[in-house]
Amino acid sequence: SGPASLAAALYGARTKIRTVVLKGNQPGGQLTGTSYIENWPAIKKIRGIEVVKDFEEQAARFGALMVGDSAVSIDVAEWPYLVKTEEGRELRALAIFVGTGATGRRLGIPGDFEYWGKGVTNCAICDAPYHKGDIVAVVGGGDSAIEQSLELSHYAKEVRMLVRSDFLRASPSMIERLDACDNVTIIFNTSLVSINGSNDHVTSVDVINNKTKEQQRWEGVRGVFLAIGHIPNTQMLEGKIRLDTNGYIELNGRAQTTSLPGIFAAGDVADPRYKQAGVAAGDGIKGGLDAVWWLSEIGYNTQVERKLETAFF
């Protein structure tokens, strides 16, 4: 029930197709863990949880049914597909839209979860403008870490990039771009051990030198950006539809169709690159339209709907 799924639900319900949204264990997805959003088109500033609330209410107004439950398995052996839920429900679906998102890898250290959305994040594009003139730390040594550091360099006074080993895993071209930034410092063989703060924001971090085991406290660090990867939430789809080597759903061309007819996907579960709510919503619209068109192509219409209506959930 993040922006991709709610956009798909809006377009499905608005075309008068019976649309059911399984809201999942984290209703609203990653947006609910952010504070303010300033890059949602046409809205200057809004809380992430408010975007989700408005989105859900809009889809529900057109008839989308919001269900407080989670899918735990999808059986694709026969069609209509069988979806089983955490609370024991069984739904036969003519079409399925997958918008289960991705889970950002976390450090699991003190302060990691406590200050999430209060200075700890995994999205520099989203949160860099909140750190004008600040000292921030970026955790990671790959292309993603450099991308976040470059984004932050336009706002932060100082960017400290923590790399746990003694080398960068990033591509040479990305390293070359980083070399041109005079306010980004790469600190090798260093890991975070604690994120500290007041009730509402990060104020310092504790780090350790992985070789000497010496620990330090860096006062004044106001932001911690994790660039250690995401895990797409596709566990229940393994072996059923085509996934890439990292577990993301593979789509067909520029459509939101998957390797199985009648199954569509959008958002972070199928997007290893952009990871933006606006992109997810746009792709969710495409996925919703793809599903509507596919149902129409196989003969679904108001006459068929009337025959099936007694079996609707």
Side-chain angles (χ1 to χ4, degrees), residues 236-297:
M236 64 180 169
L237 295 166
E238 290 175 0
K240 296 172 183 177
I241 64 173
R242 190 172 64 242
L243 308 176
D244 70 12
T245 54
N246 293 312
Y248 289 91
I249 295 173
E250 287 193 348
L251 302 174
N252 299 317
R254 298 189 66 180
Q256 304 303 129
T257 55
T258 70
S259 59
L260 276 184
I263 298 185
F264 309 86
D268 287 6
V269 73
D271 175 16
R273 181 176 176 85
Y274 296 102
K275 301 190 183 304
Q276 294 295 298
V279 175
D283 285 349
I285 291 170
K286 288 167 56 183
L289 289 171
D290 285 340
V292 168
W293 294 334
W294 182 79
L295 287 168
S296 177
E297 287 168 5

Side-chain angles (χ1 to χ4, degrees), residues 37-54:
I37 298 172
E38 294 182 318
N39 57 359
W40 188 258
I43 303 294
K44 292 179 181 177
K45 187 175 182 179
I46 188 170
R47 287 188 179 275
I49 198 165
E50 291 174 4
V51 171
V52 172
K53 179 176 176 286
D54 291 346

Side-chain angles (χ1 to χ4, degrees), residues 40-84:
W40 188 258
I43 303 294
K44 292 179 181 177
K45 187 175 182 179
I46 188 170
R47 287 188 179 275
I49 198 165
E50 291 174 4
V51 171
V52 172
K53 179 176 176 286
D54 291 346
F55 228 146
E56 184 175 317
E57 288 177 354
Q58 187 181 21
R61 184 162 61 88
F62 286 106
L65 181 63
M66 303 293 162
V67 182
D69 201 351
S70 301
V72 292
S73 70
I74 299 175
D75 187 347
V76 298
E78 59 181 35
W79 181 86
Y81 302 123
L82 176 64
V83 179
K84 293 184 178 180

